[in-house]
Short mmCIF file of all heavy atoms in Angstrom, two decimals:
data_model
loop_
_atom_site.label_atom_id
_atom_site.label_comp_id
_atom_site.label_asym_id
_atom_site.label_seq_id
_atom_site.Cartn_x
_atom_site.Cartn_y
_atom_site.Cartn_z
N ASP D 200 26.50 -105.29 219.50
CA ASP D 200 25.36 -106.17 219.33
C ASP D 200 24.08 -105.34 219.56
O ASP D 200 22.96 -105.88 219.30
CB ASP D 200 25.40 -107.28 220.37
CG ASP D 200 26.46 -108.29 219.89
OD1 ASP D 200 26.84 -108.41 218.70
OD2 ASP D 200 26.96 -109.18 220.68
N TYR D 201 24.12 -104.21 220.09
CA TYR D 201 23.04 -103.37 220.58
C TYR D 201 22.92 -102.34 219.52
O TYR D 201 23.54 -101.42 219.50
CB TYR D 201 23.29 -102.82 221.94
CG TYR D 201 22.01 -102.33 222.65
CD1 TYR D 201 21.05 -103.26 223.03
CD2 TYR D 201 21.89 -101.01 223.03
CE1 TYR D 201 19.91 -102.81 223.71
CE2 TYR D 201 20.75 -100.64 223.74
CZ TYR D 201 19.71 -101.51 224.02
OH TYR D 201 18.62 -101.13 224.69
N PRO D 202 21.79 -102.38 218.75
CA PRO D 202 21.61 -101.46 217.68
C PRO D 202 21.26 -100.06 218.14
O PRO D 202 20.76 -99.85 219.31
CB PRO D 202 20.49 -101.97 216.84
CG PRO D 202 19.71 -102.81 217.79
CD PRO D 202 20.72 -103.30 218.60
N VAL D 203 21.54 -99.05 217.43
CA VAL D 203 21.25 -97.64 217.67
C VAL D 203 19.89 -97.35 218.01
O VAL D 203 19.51 -96.67 218.94
CB VAL D 203 21.77 -96.76 216.56
CG1 VAL D 203 21.50 -95.33 216.84
CG2 VAL D 203 23.32 -96.86 216.41
N LEU D 204 18.98 -98.06 217.22
CA LEU D 204 17.52 -97.78 217.39
C LEU D 204 17.11 -98.49 218.65
O LEU D 204 16.30 -97.84 219.42
CB LEU D 204 16.76 -98.47 216.27
CG LEU D 204 15.26 -98.24 216.20
CD1 LEU D 204 14.97 -96.79 216.27
CD2 LEU D 204 14.53 -98.81 215.09
N GLY D 205 17.71 -99.49 219.07
CA GLY D 205 17.37 -100.15 220.35
C GLY D 205 17.91 -99.22 221.53
O GLY D 205 17.19 -98.98 222.56
N ALA D 206 19.00 -98.56 221.38
CA ALA D 206 19.56 -97.57 222.40
C ALA D 206 18.52 -96.35 222.44
O ALA D 206 18.17 -95.92 223.62
CB ALA D 206 20.87 -97.05 222.05
N PHE D 207 18.01 -95.96 221.28
CA PHE D 207 17.10 -94.79 221.23
C PHE D 207 15.75 -95.19 221.89
O PHE D 207 15.31 -94.40 222.76
CB PHE D 207 16.73 -94.48 219.84
CG PHE D 207 15.64 -93.50 219.71
CD1 PHE D 207 15.78 -92.21 219.81
CD2 PHE D 207 14.39 -94.00 219.27
CE1 PHE D 207 14.64 -91.22 219.89
CE2 PHE D 207 13.28 -93.08 219.14
CZ PHE D 207 13.43 -91.71 219.57
N TRP D 208 15.18 -96.33 221.81
CA TRP D 208 13.98 -96.84 222.29
C TRP D 208 14.17 -97.04 223.92
O TRP D 208 13.29 -96.67 224.72
CB TRP D 208 13.51 -98.16 221.75
CG TRP D 208 12.74 -97.76 220.50
CD1 TRP D 208 13.11 -98.29 219.26
CD2 TRP D 208 11.59 -97.10 220.30
NE1 TRP D 208 12.26 -97.63 218.28
CE2 TRP D 208 11.30 -97.05 218.85
CE3 TRP D 208 10.73 -96.37 221.20
CZ2 TRP D 208 10.21 -96.33 218.32
CZ3 TRP D 208 9.63 -95.69 220.59
CH2 TRP D 208 9.38 -95.68 219.16
N THR D 209 15.37 -97.40 224.29
CA THR D 209 15.60 -97.64 225.74
C THR D 209 15.69 -96.26 226.27
O THR D 209 15.02 -96.04 227.48
CB THR D 209 16.93 -98.39 225.95
OG1 THR D 209 16.84 -99.64 225.39
CG2 THR D 209 17.26 -98.39 227.37
N ALA D 210 16.35 -95.27 225.74
CA ALA D 210 16.35 -93.95 226.29
C ALA D 210 15.02 -93.35 226.25
O ALA D 210 14.55 -92.67 227.25
CB ALA D 210 17.29 -93.03 225.44
N MET D 211 14.25 -93.57 225.38
CA MET D 211 12.82 -93.02 225.21
C MET D 211 11.96 -93.67 226.42
O MET D 211 11.21 -92.90 227.02
CB MET D 211 12.15 -93.48 223.95
CG MET D 211 10.75 -93.00 223.80
SD MET D 211 10.48 -91.26 223.54
CE MET D 211 10.34 -91.25 221.77
N TRP D 212 11.95 -94.92 226.64
CA TRP D 212 11.29 -95.64 227.70
C TRP D 212 11.65 -94.98 229.07
O TRP D 212 10.87 -94.75 229.98
CB TRP D 212 11.34 -97.05 227.66
CG TRP D 212 10.50 -97.68 226.57
CD1 TRP D 212 10.93 -98.27 225.48
CD2 TRP D 212 8.96 -97.53 226.63
NE1 TRP D 212 9.77 -98.53 224.72
CE2 TRP D 212 8.63 -98.12 225.38
CE3 TRP D 212 8.04 -97.05 227.26
CZ2 TRP D 212 7.30 -98.35 224.99
CZ3 TRP D 212 6.77 -97.18 226.97
CH2 TRP D 212 6.25 -97.84 225.91
N ILE D 213 12.96 -94.95 229.20
CA ILE D 213 13.39 -94.21 230.48
C ILE D 213 12.94 -92.80 230.71
O ILE D 213 12.41 -92.50 231.74
CB ILE D 213 15.06 -94.38 230.55
CG1 ILE D 213 15.51 -95.80 230.78
CG2 ILE D 213 15.55 -93.50 231.73
CD1 ILE D 213 16.94 -96.00 230.64
N PHE D 214 13.02 -92.13 229.64
CA PHE D 214 12.53 -90.65 229.68
C PHE D 214 10.92 -90.77 230.09
O PHE D 214 10.53 -89.86 230.88
CB PHE D 214 12.71 -90.04 228.35
CG PHE D 214 12.01 -88.63 228.35
CD1 PHE D 214 12.55 -87.49 228.91
CD2 PHE D 214 10.83 -88.46 227.50
CE1 PHE D 214 11.92 -86.34 228.93
CE2 PHE D 214 10.27 -87.23 227.48
CZ PHE D 214 10.82 -86.19 228.19
N LEU D 215 10.18 -91.51 229.34
CA LEU D 215 8.75 -91.66 229.64
C LEU D 215 8.48 -92.11 231.10
O LEU D 215 7.62 -91.56 231.71
CB LEU D 215 8.02 -92.51 228.67
CG LEU D 215 7.99 -91.95 227.17
CD1 LEU D 215 7.31 -93.05 226.25
CD2 LEU D 215 7.16 -90.66 227.13
N TRP D 216 9.29 -93.04 231.58
CA TRP D 216 9.05 -93.51 233.01
C TRP D 216 9.30 -92.41 233.90
O TRP D 216 8.65 -92.17 234.87
CB TRP D 216 9.97 -94.70 233.20
CG TRP D 216 9.89 -95.30 234.54
CD1 TRP D 216 8.92 -96.28 234.93
CD2 TRP D 216 10.63 -95.08 235.68
NE1 TRP D 216 9.09 -96.42 236.27
CE2 TRP D 216 10.23 -95.93 236.71
CE3 TRP D 216 11.91 -94.33 235.85
CZ2 TRP D 216 10.76 -95.80 238.00
CZ3 TRP D 216 12.50 -94.43 237.04
CH2 TRP D 216 12.02 -95.24 238.08
N VAL D 217 10.43 -91.63 233.79
CA VAL D 217 10.70 -90.48 234.66
C VAL D 217 9.69 -89.38 234.56
O VAL D 217 9.23 -88.94 235.58
CB VAL D 217 12.19 -90.04 234.31
CG1 VAL D 217 12.42 -88.61 235.03
CG2 VAL D 217 13.20 -90.87 234.68
N LEU D 218 9.17 -89.14 233.29
CA LEU D 218 8.10 -88.21 233.16
C LEU D 218 6.91 -88.68 233.89
O LEU D 218 6.21 -87.80 234.57
CB LEU D 218 7.86 -87.97 231.70
CG LEU D 218 6.80 -86.97 231.28
CD1 LEU D 218 7.45 -85.62 231.54
CD2 LEU D 218 6.42 -87.14 229.84
N TRP D 219 6.62 -89.86 233.79
CA TRP D 219 5.35 -90.42 234.50
C TRP D 219 5.53 -90.24 236.10
O TRP D 219 4.53 -89.84 236.71
CB TRP D 219 5.24 -91.93 234.12
CG TRP D 219 4.07 -92.49 234.99
CD1 TRP D 219 3.99 -93.25 235.94
CD2 TRP D 219 2.72 -92.19 234.65
NE1 TRP D 219 2.86 -93.65 236.39
CE2 TRP D 219 1.98 -92.92 235.61
CE3 TRP D 219 1.98 -91.36 233.70
CZ2 TRP D 219 0.63 -92.86 235.49
CZ3 TRP D 219 0.62 -91.41 233.71
CH2 TRP D 219 -0.12 -92.10 234.69
N ILE D 220 6.74 -90.56 236.56
CA ILE D 220 6.86 -90.34 238.05
C ILE D 220 6.76 -88.96 238.47
O ILE D 220 6.14 -88.66 239.46
CB ILE D 220 8.35 -91.01 238.44
CG1 ILE D 220 8.36 -92.55 238.15
CG2 ILE D 220 8.63 -90.67 239.89
CD1 ILE D 220 7.43 -93.31 238.98
N VAL D 221 7.37 -87.99 237.66
CA VAL D 221 7.14 -86.63 238.02
C VAL D 221 5.78 -86.16 238.01
O VAL D 221 5.35 -85.55 238.80
CB VAL D 221 8.10 -85.75 237.04
CG1 VAL D 221 7.85 -84.43 237.15
CG2 VAL D 221 9.56 -86.02 237.30
N LEU D 222 5.03 -86.62 236.98
CA LEU D 222 3.66 -86.13 236.80
C LEU D 222 2.84 -86.73 237.97
O LEU D 222 2.01 -86.10 238.62
CB LEU D 222 2.99 -86.74 235.38
CG LEU D 222 1.51 -86.45 235.24
CD1 LEU D 222 1.45 -84.91 235.19
CD2 LEU D 222 1.04 -87.06 233.91
N LEU D 223 3.10 -88.05 238.43
CA LEU D 223 2.31 -88.56 239.54
C LEU D 223 2.69 -87.88 240.83
O LEU D 223 1.66 -87.45 241.56
CB LEU D 223 2.85 -90.08 239.67
CG LEU D 223 2.08 -90.94 240.75
CD1 LEU D 223 0.71 -91.07 240.35
CD2 LEU D 223 2.80 -92.28 240.94
N PHE D 224 3.95 -87.49 241.13
CA PHE D 224 4.16 -86.68 242.25
C PHE D 224 3.63 -85.31 242.23
O PHE D 224 3.11 -84.84 243.23
CB PHE D 224 5.68 -86.69 242.63
CG PHE D 224 6.21 -87.93 243.17
CD1 PHE D 224 6.89 -88.86 242.56
CD2 PHE D 224 5.97 -88.14 244.64
CE1 PHE D 224 7.29 -90.04 243.13
CE2 PHE D 224 6.46 -89.31 245.16
CZ PHE D 224 7.08 -90.26 244.37
N ARG D 225 3.56 -84.65 240.95
CA ARG D 225 2.99 -83.38 240.92
C ARG D 225 1.48 -83.44 241.10
O ARG D 225 1.05 -82.50 241.87
CB ARG D 225 3.31 -82.98 239.50
CG ARG D 225 2.79 -81.53 239.16
CD ARG D 225 3.85 -80.73 238.81
NE ARG D 225 3.21 -79.43 238.77
CZ ARG D 225 3.71 -78.35 237.95
NH1 ARG D 225 4.73 -78.57 237.27
NH2 ARG D 225 3.03 -77.20 237.93
N ILE D 226 0.74 -84.46 240.68
CA ILE D 226 -0.63 -84.60 241.00
C ILE D 226 -0.93 -84.93 242.50
O ILE D 226 -1.73 -84.27 243.02
CB ILE D 226 -1.21 -85.74 240.17
CG1 ILE D 226 -1.23 -85.05 238.61
CG2 ILE D 226 -2.64 -86.18 240.60
CD1 ILE D 226 -1.79 -86.06 237.61
N ILE D 227 -0.10 -85.66 243.13
CA ILE D 227 -0.31 -85.91 244.63
C ILE D 227 -0.02 -84.72 245.20
O ILE D 227 -0.78 -84.25 246.26
CB ILE D 227 0.69 -87.04 245.02
CG1 ILE D 227 0.16 -88.34 244.35
CG2 ILE D 227 0.78 -87.05 246.57
CD1 ILE D 227 1.20 -89.58 244.67
N GLY D 228 0.99 -83.88 244.96
CA GLY D 228 1.23 -82.54 245.64
C GLY D 228 0.05 -81.64 245.34
O GLY D 228 -0.33 -80.87 246.19
N ASP D 229 -0.64 -81.56 244.12
CA ASP D 229 -1.67 -80.74 243.89
C ASP D 229 -2.93 -81.22 244.71
O ASP D 229 -3.69 -80.34 245.08
CB ASP D 229 -1.99 -80.86 242.44
CG ASP D 229 -3.13 -79.84 241.95
OD1 ASP D 229 -2.87 -78.64 242.19
OD2 ASP D 229 -4.19 -80.27 241.55
N ILE D 230 -3.12 -82.44 244.87
CA ILE D 230 -4.18 -82.93 245.71
C ILE D 230 -4.08 -82.39 247.10
O ILE D 230 -4.98 -81.92 247.70
CB ILE D 230 -4.22 -84.54 245.76
CG1 ILE D 230 -4.66 -85.05 244.34
CG2 ILE D 230 -5.13 -85.00 246.74
CD1 ILE D 230 -4.50 -86.60 244.23
N PHE D 231 -2.82 -82.46 247.64
CA PHE D 231 -2.70 -81.92 249.07
C PHE D 231 -2.71 -80.39 249.14
O PHE D 231 -3.16 -79.78 250.11
CB PHE D 231 -1.43 -82.43 249.68
CG PHE D 231 -1.39 -83.94 250.10
CD1 PHE D 231 -0.73 -84.81 249.46
CD2 PHE D 231 -2.25 -84.24 251.09
CE1 PHE D 231 -0.65 -86.17 249.80
CE2 PHE D 231 -2.24 -85.53 251.54
CZ PHE D 231 -1.53 -86.47 250.81
N ARG D 232 -2.32 -79.71 248.04
CA ARG D 232 -2.26 -78.24 248.07
C ARG D 232 -3.73 -77.64 247.82
O ARG D 232 -3.89 -76.47 248.30
CB ARG D 232 -1.43 -77.70 246.91
CG ARG D 232 -1.22 -76.28 246.81
CD ARG D 232 -0.34 -75.80 245.76
NE ARG D 232 1.00 -76.37 245.98
CZ ARG D 232 1.73 -76.99 245.02
NH1 ARG D 232 1.17 -77.18 243.82
NH2 ARG D 232 2.96 -77.54 245.27
N ASP D 233 -4.63 -78.43 247.22
CA ASP D 233 -5.89 -77.87 246.99
C ASP D 233 -6.72 -77.51 248.24
O ASP D 233 -7.08 -78.39 248.93
CB ASP D 233 -6.63 -78.72 245.99
CG ASP D 233 -7.95 -78.13 245.39
OD1 ASP D 233 -8.15 -76.96 245.67
OD2 ASP D 233 -8.62 -78.80 244.67
N ASP D 234 -7.06 -76.33 248.30
CA ASP D 234 -7.95 -75.84 249.54
C ASP D 234 -9.31 -76.03 249.31
O ASP D 234 -10.06 -76.07 250.27
CB ASP D 234 -7.61 -74.46 249.89
CG ASP D 234 -6.20 -74.16 250.38
OD1 ASP D 234 -5.59 -75.09 250.90
OD2 ASP D 234 -5.69 -73.04 250.25
N THR D 235 -9.80 -76.21 248.03
CA THR D 235 -11.18 -76.42 247.84
C THR D 235 -11.73 -77.79 248.08
O THR D 235 -12.88 -77.98 248.29
CB THR D 235 -11.52 -75.96 246.32
OG1 THR D 235 -10.83 -76.81 245.51
CG2 THR D 235 -11.18 -74.54 246.22
N LEU D 236 -10.82 -78.82 247.97
CA LEU D 236 -11.18 -80.13 248.28
C LEU D 236 -11.21 -80.37 249.83
O LEU D 236 -10.33 -79.99 250.59
CB LEU D 236 -10.18 -81.05 247.67
CG LEU D 236 -10.42 -81.50 246.26
CD1 LEU D 236 -9.16 -82.33 245.81
CD2 LEU D 236 -11.68 -82.24 245.97
N GLY D 237 -12.16 -81.08 250.21
CA GLY D 237 -12.30 -81.53 251.64
C GLY D 237 -11.42 -82.70 251.87
O GLY D 237 -10.86 -83.32 250.99
#
């Protein structure tokens, strides 16, 4: 009952969500690492 295109879009949304979380943590790490910011 679950079409192949539906599975593709589900995998795509999961990938984008994980990518977003990684980017968010990378930016937070960069904020703390930056010595030029007070």
Side-chain angles (χ1 to χ4, degrees):
D200 290 335
Y201 199 62
V203 174
L204 188 59
F207 170 76
W208 282 113
T209 301
M211 176 76 99
W212 282 113
I213 291 172
F214 172 75
L215 290 174
W216 182 77
V217 169
L218 184 69
W219 178 255
I220 296 296
V221 168
L222 181 62
L223 183 66
F224 279 104
R225 179 119 186 208
I226 286 176
I227 290 172
D229 186 63
I230 290 171
F231 284 113
R232 182 179 300 130
D233 191 5
D234 294 334
T235 61
L236 274 177

